[in-house]
Amino acid sequence: MEVKVNKKVKSATDEELQSLSKEELITKIRQLEAHNVQLKSIVQKSLKSHEEATHGKATKKHRPFDFSKCFKRHILLRLYYLGWDYQGFAAQEDSIETIEHHLFAALKKVCLIEGRETSNYNRCGRTDKGVSAFCQVISLDVRSKFSPEEQLEESNLEGELDYCSMLNRVLPVDIRCIAWMPMVNPAYSARFDCRSRTYRYFFPQGDLNVPLMEEGARYLVGVHDFRNFCKMDVGNGVVNFVRSIDAISIQMCQEDYLDNESYNMLCVELTGKAFLWHQVRCIMAVLLLVGQGKEEPSVVKELLDVEKNPCKPQYSMAIDVPLNLYKCQFNEKSIQPAGEEQQESDGGSDLRNWIFKHENVVRTICELQGLWMKQNVKSTMIRDMLHELERVGSWRMSGQATQLTEGVKSKEYRPLLQRQQCESLENRIEHYAKKRRIEVSTKSNDSNADGSDEPMQQSVADDGTNNDGYVDHGVTGIEN
């Protein structure tokens, strides 16, 4: 089956408006009004911040940077960010609090690129609202001190612009560039040439039965239809939910210093080429139910059997804060064809070593230590308060796991397979086809070529909502 997404133009013609029903017009007006309120709020905040930053200072006029006199080179850029206070990685029309917004503002401010459209930009994956990354990688063309013929010479790599330090001087403290890699092939893509992505989800042990969680997790390894473990974003053209999880494990991250194993920190680590929207958080939600003894490990196997269970039971996802894009692995040779100007390679790898600058790494470690210190002081204070309260009555409560899922907790638990179910994939396709959001043909439809937790279309949805799974007009939900 092949699905084509119909992108609506920004302004409808008179004939198109007249063809809409009364209900459709009311819906459209309400969406435009809500979007207008959001944009006014963003503009007001932006203007206020700008006024505060420039108050009392004379505005300096800078001569435009002449990029026509500069050389360019294609690189991979490796960065980390703490996404807890951001609306996700991908830029959005109605929010400036995204990682990409700050990243491109920094790239332009230090004159490494002229604009996003001309930078040959690709990202390894898109993380959603609240999600962090230890190893996000982007590919793009940036300004260089050297001509293309000289750029791969060892001495010139040492003398190249210090890309990471330049960007880190103007980026927020919770977004940092760690290293860059010179590329041989100018078509090499951080998105299409990434061969695997590893996510980690951190959580306290609490009273969870970890061996049962491991038993349930083993069913996930291999190629499966994960429609019951994700948000089905049919409106953006995703109708194929077959993905492969290459490896999954539960690891110890930190053992408690007060001899109470319920405060031990663990993580679930998953590796695969591509992940669906909210897939990791849905998987975690089910594994947590298994760990609490509310579900048998075999429920994972049951939910993967989409012929027997074609409709997803309604359940709350795991929260976003513990999720992290932990590691990315890349192809030695790009699957993208090199341009005509690219010389034939010697058959070796397109990849080179990551270039770390000592001063930049030391500065970044110090900044991270500062962030760790502040967070750990808070954590230690809270942990000490818990220890004192538990000692008063010799109470040993372990309710951390219940705080890891969204939504209202019901007093009486209902098993997953006995719950009310979401709409089937077929019904969703029919719904969006009737709304003229998608066009369906009988041709086969390939899955996403990248591995991010995102729909194939990465633009803002036609109704003005964010693709972060939180403002979806009644649909509860990113991961990504």
Side-chain angles (χ1 to χ4, degrees):
M1 181 185 296
E2 184 177 285
V3 174
K4 176 185 176 184
V5 178
N6 292 327
K7 288 188 177 181
K8 296 183 180 179
V9 293
K10 293 184 178 179
S11 57
T13 63
D14 291 345
E15 291 77 15
E16 289 173 332
L17 291 174
Q18 289 172 358
S19 68
L20 297 176
S21 66
K22 181 179 179 180
E23 289 75 19
E24 289 174 326
L25 285 171
I26 292 173
T27 300
K28 191 173 186 66
I29 290 171
R30 286 177 176 170
Q31 290 171 352
L32 290 171
E33 288 176 342
H35 191 57
N36 193 36
V37 170
Q38 287 180 317
L39 291 176
K40 284 182 178 179
S41 176
I42 291 168
V43 170
Q44 289 172 356
K45 290 180 181 178
S46 180
L47 288 174
K48 184 179 178 181
S49 299
H50 181 71
E51 289 172 356
E52 290 174 351
T54 58
H55 182 67
K57 298 179 181 179
T59 304
K60 296 181 180 179
K61 292 185 178 180
H62 296 280
R63 184 186 304 173
F65 192 88
D66 189 356
F67 282 90
S68 65
K69 297 180 180 180
C70 300
F71 298 115
K72 287 185 179 181
R73 74 182 307 155
H74 192 57
I75 68 170
L76 294 184
L77 195 62
R78 177 176 165 184
L79 51 129
Y80 83 75
Y81 51 86
L82 303 173
W84 308 321
D85 296 325
Y86 293 95
Q87 297 296 313
F89 183 83
Q92 300 173 16
E93 288 184 0
D94 52 4
S95 176
I96 60 173
E97 288 307 316
T98 65
I99 308 298
E100 267 188 355
H101 171 84
H102 290 286
L103 182 58
F104 275 97
L107 284 164
K108 289 190 282 187
K109 188 170 185 178
V110 298
C111 299
L112 287 182
I113 65 169
E114 190 169 7
R116 175 170 178 159
E117 298 76 13
T118 58
S119 64
N120 189 21
Y121 169 75
N122 272 295
R123 59 190 176 225
C124 176
R126 186 187 77 169
T127 54
D128 283 341
K129 179 181 177 182
V131 179
S132 301
F134 287 163
C135 184
Q136 174 69 275
V137 177
I138 65 172
S139 56
L140 76 169
D141 296 339
V142 293
R143 176 165 58 96
S144 173
K145 291 168 62 176
F146 305 102
S147 65
E149 297 79 17
E150 304 172 309
Q151 287 174 356
L152 293 177
E153 294 178 11
E154 200 64 35
S155 60
N156 291 340
L157 292 177
E158 288 291 328
E160 184 57 280
L161 295 170
D162 190 353
Y163 297 122
C164 294
S165 294
M166 292 171 67
L167 290 168
N168 288 342
R169 283 195 289 267
V170 294
L171 281 169
V173 69
D174 46 9
I175 306 173
R176 281 292 177 263
C177 294
I178 304 300
W180 67 279
M181 182 187 296
M183 300 309 300
V184 178
N185 185 350
Y188 199 97
S189 167
R191 177 183 179 185
F192 296 104
D193 291 314
C194 182
R195 59 183 171 87
S196 76
R197 295 160 175 88
T198 297
Y199 283 89
R200 280 188 173 183
Y201 192 96
F202 297 84
F203 63 97
Q205 182 170 336
D207 57 357
L208 294 170
N209 188 324
V210 177
L212 286 182
M213 295 176 69
E214 291 175 324
E215 182 182 343
R218 283 194 285 270
Y219 291 112
L220 296 164
V221 178
V223 179
H224 303 285
D225 188 319
F226 286 96
R227 69 180 67 181
N228 290 329
F229 289 93
C230 71
K231 177 181 175 182
M232 292 200 295
D233 197 29
V234 177
N236 274 325
V238 182
V239 295
N240 184 348
F241 300 95
V242 175
R243 298 293 187 273
S244 173
I245 291 182
D246 302 326
I248 183 169
S249 62
I250 301 179
Q251 307 172 9
M252 179 71 69
C253 297
Q254 179 182 341
E255 296 192 47
D256 185 68
Y257 62 93
L258 289 176
D259 195 30
N260 184 346
E261 66 178 13
S262 69
Y263 290 96
N264 290 343
M265 291 300 298
L266 297 84
C267 73
V268 170
E269 182 175 288
L270 309 92
T271 298
K273 178 174 173 56
F275 289 86
L276 295 159
W277 200 14
H278 295 323
Q279 183 179 349
V280 176
R281 288 171 60 191
C282 287
I283 286 173
M284 279 306 307
V286 175
L287 290 181
L288 289 170
L289 292 175
V290 172
Q292 294 173 72
K294 295 179 178 179
E295 297 286 346
E296 293 295 324
S298 59
V299 74
V300 177
K301 183 180 180 181
E302 293 290 326
L303 291 173
L304 290 172
D305 187 348
V306 295
E307 292 187 3
K308 184 178 179 181
N309 297 290
C311 298
K312 176 185 175 183
Q314 294 184 357
Y315 60 86
S316 298
M317 291 192 304
I319 60 175
D320 50 17
V321 169
L323 184 58
N324 196 292
L325 176 56
Y326 184 73
K327 185 168 58 177
C328 304
Q329 299 289 332
F330 291 90
N331 297 324
E332 291 290 329
K333 297 292 293 183
S334 175
I335 64 172
Q336 310 298 314
E340 293 181 0
E341 73 283 356
Q342 178 66 20
Q343 296 179 356
E344 288 293 326
S345 68
D346 58 3
S349 173
D350 283 344
L351 302 178
R352 293 294 184 266
N353 293 326
W354 288 104
I355 296 177
F356 296 86
K357 289 288 187 179
H358 175 76
E359 298 81 2
N360 180 61
V361 174
V362 170
R363 189 182 306 113
T364 301
I365 289 174
C366 290
E367 291 169 341
L368 271 177
Q369 286 177 339
L371 290 173
W372 172 87
M373 180 272 296
K374 292 176 182 178
Q375 298 297 328
N376 204 43
V377 166
K378 293 178 182 178
S379 174
T380 303
M381 289 175 64
I382 295 171
R383 180 68 185 89
D384 206 38
M385 294 165 67
L386 283 167
H387 180 65
E388 290 299 319
L389 286 173
E390 290 168 343
R391 191 174 62 177
V392 168
S394 298
W395 294 312
R396 295 291 291 267
M397 301 175 65
S398 301
Q400 301 102 312
T402 59
Q403 308 300 318
L404 286 168
T405 51
E406 298 178 338
V408 179
K409 279 69 178 177
S410 59
K411 293 182 179 180
E412 185 176 341
Y413 183 78
R414 175 177 291 185
L416 284 177
L417 299 179
Q418 298 177 20
R419 296 187 187 184
Q420 185 176 349
Q421 297 177 331
C422 301
E423 280 189 300
S424 67
L425 174 60
E426 292 72 22
N427 286 344
R428 289 172 186 260
I429 292 174
E430 182 181 0
H431 169 76
Y432 285 108
K434 284 182 178 179
K435 291 181 69 175
R436 300 191 296 276
R437 283 278 298 275
I438 60 175
E439 294 177 5
V440 182
S441 66
T442 56
K443 295 181 181 179
S444 62
N445 182 44
D446 294 333
S447 60
N448 287 7
D450 73 341
S452 54
D453 273 345
E454 61 181 318
M456 285 191 287
Q457 299 294 328
Q458 298 168 2
S459 57
V460 174
D462 292 337
D463 59 2
T465 61
N466 299 341
N467 278 334
D468 60 11
Y470 287 87
V471 189
D472 199 29
H473 293 295
V475 180
T476 339
I478 208 195
E479 218 135 307
N480 154 318

